[in-house]
Amino acid sequence: TGYQVGYNTSNAKLTANNFALGYQGKDFVVHTSLANIADVLTSVHHKVSDKTEVGLTTTYNLQTSNVSLGLAGKYVLEDGAVLRAKVNNQGQIGMGYSQNLRTGVKLSLSGL
């Protein structure tokens, strides 16, 4: 739980008014926040297994009713390589692959 306030003394205006709340369970994390009394942000991360993780983010603007959604996943392959993917409600799809080639050298490929 947290609260942030910003105040500009030169023009006597409030510049930030943010509130956040989070909870961490054994295999999941839930977080929600209210940014400047305009945007409600929520995220959920769940570790399904040692090899699989999923996450969901949402944003809702209280003034415009605009909504954004995002879904992501991570999967660890048998050889230790990692596959990642994400998609959002704007039709953007991202993919990533990373693998340790040797100590100190990692290959990462990604695209959006």
Side-chain angles (χ1 to χ4, degrees):
T1 303
Y3 179 73
Q4 174 197 24
V5 64
Y7 185 76
N8 186 331
T9 57
S10 65
N11 62 6
K13 289 190 177 182
L14 193 64
T15 59
N17 189 16
N18 304 317
F19 175 77
L21 178 66
Y23 177 79
Q24 181 171 352
K26 181 181 174 184
D27 58 355
F28 70 96
V29 177
V30 178
H31 179 265
T32 188
S33 63
L34 178 62
N36 294 318
I37 310 174
D39 290 317
V40 179
L41 300 99
T42 304
S43 66
V44 178
H45 177 266
H46 178 56
K47 186 169 185 172
V48 179
S49 69
D50 289 340
K51 294 185 176 194
T52 308
E53 298 178 35
V54 294
L56 172 71
T57 62
T58 65
T59 304
Y60 177 73
N61 186 287
L62 297 170
Q63 297 166 346
T64 64
S65 297
N66 286 341
V67 176
S68 94
L69 302 169
L71 179 65
K74 172 184 168 183
Y75 183 74
V76 179
L77 301 171
E78 295 296 324
D79 62 356
V82 178
L83 292 173
R84 291 181 175 88
K86 66 181 181 176
V87 62
N88 65 25
N89 65 319
Q90 297 174 343
Q92 296 174 320
I93 299 172
M95 301 288 289
Y97 173 84
S98 62
Q99 183 170 15
N100 290 324
L101 300 176
R102 62 175 186 262
T103 305
V105 179
K106 179 187 258 187
L107 170 68
S108 294
L109 304 168
S110 64
L112 179 64

